[in-house]
Amino acid sequence: MEKNEFYESMRKRIEENLPESILAEGELVIKEARKNNDVMMHGIMISREGPGGSPVIYIDDAYDLYQSGRPVDELAPAAADAFCKAWEDQPCMDLLSLQYEDIKDRIFYRIADVKRNRGRLSEMKYSLAECGFAKIYSIAVSKEGSIPITNSLAAEYGYDPEKIFEDAERNTPRMHPAVFEDLQDVVKNFALPESPQLTLLSEREGFDKSSDMYLLSSRDMMNGAATIFYPDVKEKIAEVIDDSYYVLPSSTHELMIVPCKSGIPPEHLGKTVREVNEIMGSETEVLSDRIMKYDRDTKELKVVKEDRDKDQERGR
């Protein structure tokens, strides 16, 4: 069964497993969405007339399971259960106002690689950041749910782009505060049954400056790569570890920080990032292949120009 046939088959089977109370709200349809790195994903949602939205459950992973031998009749009920839960947990979209005064305190940004997201950026409100990244803006509507601020949404409600950018700069560090930890401590602590909360970067004291690698992310560990662009974060990290450092884009959710005094060659760090990206379970979570360096003296973040031939020679 080809992909499109599979998606339609899943839609029909999921529809058969949904309660009448949901189906009465509208037609179950397949929705295509352009995600990070211009990956096109396919989900199911209820198309409603008038006010009110619908959660979207993506079924691309289900196609991979189907190809590995799982039948549609087994996959569809699980997807239907997930859709029902999402339907119950969604905020009341009928009552959600998208007027700017009502959403200005919930606007935040994620970051994405400009070259990998040309199609997506053409649809979205965004601004350019350093080192070839863009800040893409969304409206938080629940703990994990958000609405992207597309060009069409901004035009419909008359959003001022400058206000979007200003309010996101104010909101994002508050909504998703930066955390900074020794990577070994993170790995050790997250192996415990009840992992302790990560330490906010603003609260760092008595820090171990001898580690070769640290983790920078957000407290909820979601889209935490954006934290490197928070005000004063780059400077604070240099102060905490007492050194200039390399920034490794390990995923959209976190960054690895490697002090220059570690002595690890940038070519090796770049190779490591590219190898991790190649085996990443989800292409939408890949951030970039480029490593960066923050110079403590000049206070500049720049892309590192690697000598990849050197790393190949070391590997011989």
Side-chain angles (χ1 to χ4, degrees):
M1 193 185 304
E2 296 297 323
K3 276 189 177 182
N4 289 337
E5 292 178 291
F6 170 81
Y7 296 143
E8 178 58 23
S9 180
M10 280 288 286
R11 187 197 67 78
K12 291 179 179 178
R13 297 293 195 284
I14 291 170
E15 188 174 55
E16 293 170 0
N17 284 273
L18 290 179
E20 287 298 326
S21 57
I22 293 179
L23 295 176
E25 295 291 331
E27 180 185 2
L28 191 70
V29 298
I30 298 171
K31 173 185 173 64
E32 283 191 338
R34 196 189 303 271
K35 297 295 186 178
N36 188 45
N37 297 324
D38 279 350
V39 174
M40 294 301 297
M41 296 188 66
H42 303 79
I44 56 120
M45 62 174 288
I46 293 290
S47 178
R48 307 170 77 179
E49 294 185 5
S54 167
V56 180
I57 299 296
Y58 291 100
I59 54 177
D60 301 85
D61 288 345
Y63 182 70
D64 295 334
L65 293 173
Y66 167 76
Q67 287 189 305
S68 68
R70 300 274 293 277
V72 171
D73 287 343
E74 178 184 324
L75 296 169
D81 288 344
F83 187 86
C84 289
K85 185 178 187 310
W87 186 271
E88 293 171 1
D89 294 344
Q90 73 173 331
C92 185
M93 300 297 287
D94 293 355
L95 303 178
L96 181 65
S97 169
L98 293 178
Q99 297 299 323
Y100 196 80
E101 283 301 308
D102 297 320
I103 56 95
K104 66 180 182 180
D105 292 330
R106 292 183 280 118
I107 296 174
F108 69 101
Y109 64 79
R110 303 178 173 93
I111 64 169
D113 184 285
V114 172
K115 289 184 178 179
R116 291 171 176 259
N117 288 271
R118 295 193 185 281
R120 185 178 179 216
L121 293 176
S122 70
E123 303 168 352
M124 308 288 287
K125 285 300 177 190
Y126 73 94
S127 63
L128 295 177
E130 299 168 84
C131 299
F133 292 103
K135 297 177 180 179
I136 300 180
Y137 299 94
S138 295
I139 305 163
V141 295
S142 66
K143 185 177 180 180
E144 297 182 357
S146 62
I147 299 173
I149 302 181
T150 60
N151 295 326
S152 58
L153 179 67
E156 180 180 354
Y157 286 91
Y159 295 165
D160 180 345
E162 290 302 319
K163 285 293 296 176
I164 293 173
F165 306 158
E166 290 173 10
D167 288 328
E169 290 297 325
R170 172 175 54 86
N171 295 335
T172 310
R174 170 183 57 81
M175 295 168 64
H176 304 284
V179 295
F180 188 65
E181 295 279 5
D182 185 321
L183 183 60
Q184 289 186 346
D185 289 342
V186 173
V187 173
K188 178 176 63 179
N189 290 336
F190 272 80
L192 300 174
E194 294 184 6
S195 302
Q197 280 196 321
L198 298 174
T199 306
L200 296 178
L201 179 58
S202 59
E203 298 174 354
R204 291 270 39 149
E205 290 182 6
F207 202 66
D208 179 7
K209 301 178 181 180
S210 63
S211 178
D212 285 341
M213 190 169 291
Y214 302 89
L215 177 140
L216 173 67
S217 187
S218 58
R219 165 137 296 174
D220 57 11
M221 297 290 284
M222 293 296 293
N223 301 298
T227 53
I228 193 68
F229 295 121
Y230 290 2
D232 302 323
V233 160
K234 294 186 289 291
E235 295 83 355
K236 180 67 174 178
I237 292 172
E239 176 187 332
V240 166
I241 65 175
D242 193 23
D243 197 13
S244 299
Y245 54 85
Y246 295 106
V247 180
L248 280 59
S250 50
S251 83
T252 57
H253 301 304
E254 75 283 316
L255 301 170
M256 299 298 134
I257 304 297
V258 179
C260 291
K261 61 190 173 187
S262 68
I264 303 175
E267 294 80 17
H268 177 72
L269 297 175
K271 180 181 178 183
T272 299
V273 168
R274 289 185 288 277
E275 289 175 346
V276 169
N277 286 347
E278 286 177 4
I279 62 173
M280 186 81 72
S282 172
E283 189 180 348
T284 60
E285 295 184 358
V286 172
L287 182 60
S288 173
D289 285 338
R290 302 185 305 277
I291 65 169
M292 296 161 280
K293 180 182 177 181
Y294 178 76
D295 188 300
R296 187 182 184 187
D297 295 325
T298 64
K299 296 186 177 180
E300 291 180 316
L301 181 70
K302 293 184 177 180
V303 174
V304 174
K305 294 182 179 179
E306 302 172 47
D307 186 345
R308 298 189 185 184
D309 291 336
K310 275 188 181 180
D311 193 67
Q312 289 175 354
E313 289 175 7
R314 289 190 185 93
R316 288 176 184 171

